[in-house]
Amino acid sequence: MSLGRLIITGVSSGIGKALAEEALAAGWEVDGIGRNSCEAIDRHENGTFFQSDLSTTNGVETVPLRAASTGPTILINNAGTIGPIESTANLQTEELQYCMQLNVLAPMRLTARFLQEVSGEKQVYFTGSGAANYPIEGWAAYCASKAAVHQYAEVAAKEHPTIRIHAFRPGKVDTPMQGVIRNSSAAAFADKAHFVEAYEQGELVKPEHVAQKLLQVFVADREIPVIFSTSNI
Ligand SMILES: NC(=O)c1ccc[n+]([C@@H]2O[C@H](COP(=O)([O-])OP(=O)(O)OC[C@H]3O[C@@H](n4cnc5c(N)ncnc54)[C@H](OP(=O)(O)O)[C@@H]3O)[C@@H](O)[C@H]2O)c1
């Protein structure tokens, strides 16, 4: 018998992939959503992949959201982009729309659908970021998108006190997104050297570590703040 079902967006790499792998190994069913799957989901009898481009309205509105047959159903809104790394004065409509659709609107609409369509015990998580509260030059779109997600989680949690709704800050995690950050131009990104140094000093958190912390949170029987850092769990 499974522990319940995780519905995870963005399972092809990074945090979402690690969470899918750790969850399947621990006895959860996993429904992965995204443009690409991962080996763990494809190979495991409790893994299912639904292909969906979450930067499109159609992708968000049509992807199946299935309730667990036993245990809780848990939505983890994880897919995301760092967005344009560019001075605020140079940001363009299309790149802003893409970032906001994927990082903000998709999680908001998937959560709305999840709350309406999925019955039984539910939990909702958003992959938030320290960048929601800490301004990083060149990251205006990303910082704004994560601040929006944190505040959305706060409102949703207040409206639905019987459902566990949280956004988590995973820290600097060793994923392809950090590679994109290190390879971006320093022209508009004054802090770039700090990210390169953190990587070279081995300071990045492993995605498996974040995944293991989340699996603890899903079954924790104590109060956890709406916005929490996985390093504090
Ligand atoms: N890494 C960090 O230090 C860090 C820190 C704080 C927060 N986060 C957040 O953690 C989350 C996961 O990021 P990550 O670091 O694990 O980066 P990642 O390895 O780049 O993973 C991003 C995931 O999102 C998926 N995705 C991207 N565009 C998509 C689209 N249009 N439709 C559906 N899925 C899409 C990607 O899959 P495909 O490209 O195959 O579609 C991939 O599975 C993001 O929300 C990010 O903002 C990361």
Side-chain angles (χ1 to χ4, degrees), residues 24-131:
L24 285 165
W28 294 86
E29 291 176 295
V30 173
D31 284 2
I33 295 174
R35 294 180 301 189
N36 299 288
S37 188
C38 62
E39 201 182 331
I41 288 181
D42 293 343
R43 284 177 36 181
H44 202 289
E45 60 179 353
N46 287 337
T48 307
F49 180 66
F50 296 105
Q51 191 167 43
S52 173
D53 183 343
L54 297 175
S55 71
T56 68
T57 302
N58 187 54
V60 173
E61 298 298 338
T62 59
V63 71
L65 300 174
R66 309 190 302 173
S69 44
T70 55
T73 312
I74 305 179
L75 172 64
I76 301 104
N77 289 290
N78 168 74
T81 174
I82 188 69
I85 298 187
E86 190 51 85
S87 161
T88 48
N90 293 331
L91 293 171
Q92 302 297 317
T93 298
E94 275 187 16
E95 58 195 13
L96 285 172
Q97 279 173 335
Y98 185 87
C99 180
M100 292 301 162
Q101 168 66 34
L102 184 60
N103 288 9
V104 183
L105 300 184
M108 288 171 74
R109 264 305 295 164
L110 279 181
T111 300
R113 284 190 53 209
F114 181 77
L115 293 172
Q116 291 278 355
E117 296 171 23
V118 173
S119 56
E121 186 189 343
K122 290 177 279 212
Q123 300 180 29
V124 181
Y125 295 82
F126 302 87
T127 309
S129 174

